[in-house]
Amino acid sequence: MTVADRAMEQLASWSSLAHGPSDCVTGEALWAGTREIAHLHGDRRVALCLTTDTIIRLRDELELCSAVRLRPDSPWVTVVVECDTDADLLMTLVSAALQAHFAQRPTPEAGPCDIEQSTIIHLQDTPTQRPGATAGRTHARGIARRRSHSRRHPAA
């Protein structure tokens, strides 16, 4: 069993997610109500419907994560799960996806997974485009930590 398989199995135990057939490929996907959230492509790539708004909000952090592949004009991202740190990142992003999907009621954005029709981009591969970009993996706690420091609290 691969790290991605184990991560998907762990996610399936979450009460807000259920197994069901994927709209994209044969096999199982994880669903939140009527919305497909994630499914596997191969043995290590997880397609995740993160939503456009969430991608825009987290774009800087996502571009620094070597495990994340962004897709042009798509609410879906690909997370390459090769180690436990990648699995932790996937858990964090699935949590963000669930929050985004439930906040969208009553209009779901998901749409079908488009991995076979789109080019996956990843700016980490061209560090000259991002001053200060670092090589290696950025893990889930780094995203969570940066997000918690950037939150603005309303004035009391």
Side-chain angles (χ1 to χ4, degrees):
M1 180 180 281
T2 67
V3 177
D5 289 327
R6 286 194 309 272
M8 292 291 282
E9 190 174 278
Q10 183 176 356
L11 286 166
S13 71
W14 291 11
S15 61
S16 54
L17 293 173
H19 273 289
S22 173
D23 283 341
C24 178
V25 292
T26 57
E28 293 290 309
L30 297 176
W31 292 77
T34 60
R35 300 173 188 170
E36 184 171 350
I37 299 293
H39 58 263
L40 278 170
H41 281 279
D43 62 349
R44 62 189 182 107
R45 294 181 305 151
V46 177
L48 173 64
C49 187
L50 198 49
T51 75
T52 302
D53 289 342
T54 304
I55 292 170
I56 290 169
R57 185 169 46 87
L58 298 176
R59 187 169 196 94
D60 290 342
E61 289 88 355
L62 294 172
E63 287 175 348
L64 292 174
C65 293
S66 61
V68 175
R69 308 295 187 264
L70 302 174
R71 303 180 197 174
D73 303 317
S74 176
W76 291 84
V77 299
T78 299
V79 181
V80 180
V81 182
E82 297 177 320
C83 62
D84 290 340
T85 303
D86 297 337
D88 291 343
L89 173 64
L90 177 64
M91 304 290 168
T92 300
L93 293 177
V94 168
S95 180
L98 287 170
Q99 290 174 5
H101 281 280
F102 289 125
Q104 282 186 343
R105 287 187 180 154
T107 9
E109 172 198 358
C113 170
D114 59 355
I115 194 168
E116 303 305 327
Q117 293 85 27
S118 67
T119 303
I120 296 175
I121 60 171
H122 192 254
L123 296 181
Q124 183 70 20
D125 297 333
T126 55
T128 56
Q129 293 178 352
R130 282 197 60 97
T134 58
R137 300 218 177 264
T138 301
H139 57 79
R141 286 186 218 118
I143 285 178
R145 185 172 39 257
R146 280 189 290 277
R147 281 183 41 212
S148 66
H149 289 300
S150 65
R151 288 187 187 149
R152 293 193 176 122
H153 298 284

